[in-house]
């Protein structure tokens, strides 16, 4: 399995070939297709991300190998693409690695500066929620 930084570097490289932001948005939207469908029973208030303009759910638990397994969905295609990128980087990683991660790809590809303020705040909320899931796994001794 690739490390968090290796996956971030892959994303940065993928997007480096796309100089136009319309092409980058298309890439991000295409990433939404990589998300496994989230079961409806996971779309609960507990998994709903506060601070997002659109509805975003993120759920997760630790598997038998001590890796964080995340599921997510959104009702907005661009947001679904953004959460797909986050899951591409963080899904299947150890909870402590998720907590320790510097998600530098977000700034390197210009996501913060090209998202609307509400979407940018939503991105921060998604990262915070995933970190909380990782911390809960660590505290719960499931790492």
């Amino acid at each position: 399995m690739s490390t968090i930084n290796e996956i971030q570097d892959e994303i940065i490289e993928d997007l480096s070939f796309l100089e136009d932001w319309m092409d980058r948005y298309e890439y991000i939207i295409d990433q939404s297709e990589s998300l496994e469908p989230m079961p409806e029973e996971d779309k609960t208030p507990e998994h709903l991300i506060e601070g997002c303009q659109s509805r975003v759910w993120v759920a997760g638990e630790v598997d038998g190998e001590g890796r964080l397994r995340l599921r997510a969905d959104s009702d907005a295609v661009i947001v679904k693409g953004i959460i797909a990128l986050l899951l591409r980087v963080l899904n299947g990683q150890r909870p402590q690695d998720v907590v320790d991660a510097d998600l530098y790809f977000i700034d390197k590809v210009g996501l913060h500066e090209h998202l609307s303020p509400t979407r940018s705040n939503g991105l921060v909320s998604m990262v915070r929620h995933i970190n909380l899931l990782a911390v809960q796994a660590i505290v719960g001794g499931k790492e």
Side-chain angles (χ1 to χ4, degrees):
M1 163 156 236
S2 298
T3 68
I4 289 172
N5 287 350
E6 289 169 342
I7 298 167
Q8 290 188 92
D9 291 343
E10 287 172 10
I11 293 169
I12 292 165
E13 185 176 337
D14 289 350
L15 286 166
S16 71
F17 295 107
L18 305 172
E19 293 183 26
D20 180 68
W21 258 94
M22 291 312 290
D23 292 336
R24 286 185 177 207
Y25 283 131
E26 188 175 319
Y27 171 90
I28 292 167
I29 290 167
D30 287 347
Q31 295 301 299
S32 70
E33 297 172 13
S34 69
L35 279 182
E36 294 288 323
M38 185 178 205
E40 287 301 314
E41 58 268 18
D42 281 344
K43 294 181 182 178
T44 64
E46 171 189 351
H47 299 135
L48 190 63
I49 306 293
E50 295 291 325
C52 286
Q53 176 179 336
S54 44
R55 292 169 24 122
V56 183
W57 299 268
V58 178
E61 60 276 327
V62 176
D63 67 13
E65 296 177 6
R67 297 190 176 275
L68 193 58
R69 296 296 168 187
L70 300 165
R71 300 174 305 287
D73 198 7
S74 176
D75 60 1
V77 70
I78 186 81
V79 177
K80 192 171 183 173
I82 292 167
I83 195 69
L85 285 173
L86 287 173
L87 264 60
R88 182 173 158 191
V89 173
L90 300 172
N91 193 33
Q93 302 292 338
R94 298 202 176 280
Q96 189 63 55
D97 293 339
V98 170
V99 170
D100 293 341
D102 170 18
L103 297 178
Y104 57 83
F105 85 97
I106 293 169
D107 288 326
K108 288 244 184 185
V109 302
L111 260 181
H112 271 302
E113 67 187 72
H114 286 91
L115 292 176
S116 68
T118 52
R119 287 237 163 87
S120 190
N121 289 339
L123 173 57
V124 170
S125 295
M126 288 182 253
V127 170
R128 189 177 304 131
H129 185 83
I130 292 169
N131 276 324
L132 179 61
L133 291 172
V135 167
Q136 289 171 341
I138 294 166
V139 171
K142 295 181 180 176
E143 182 181 50

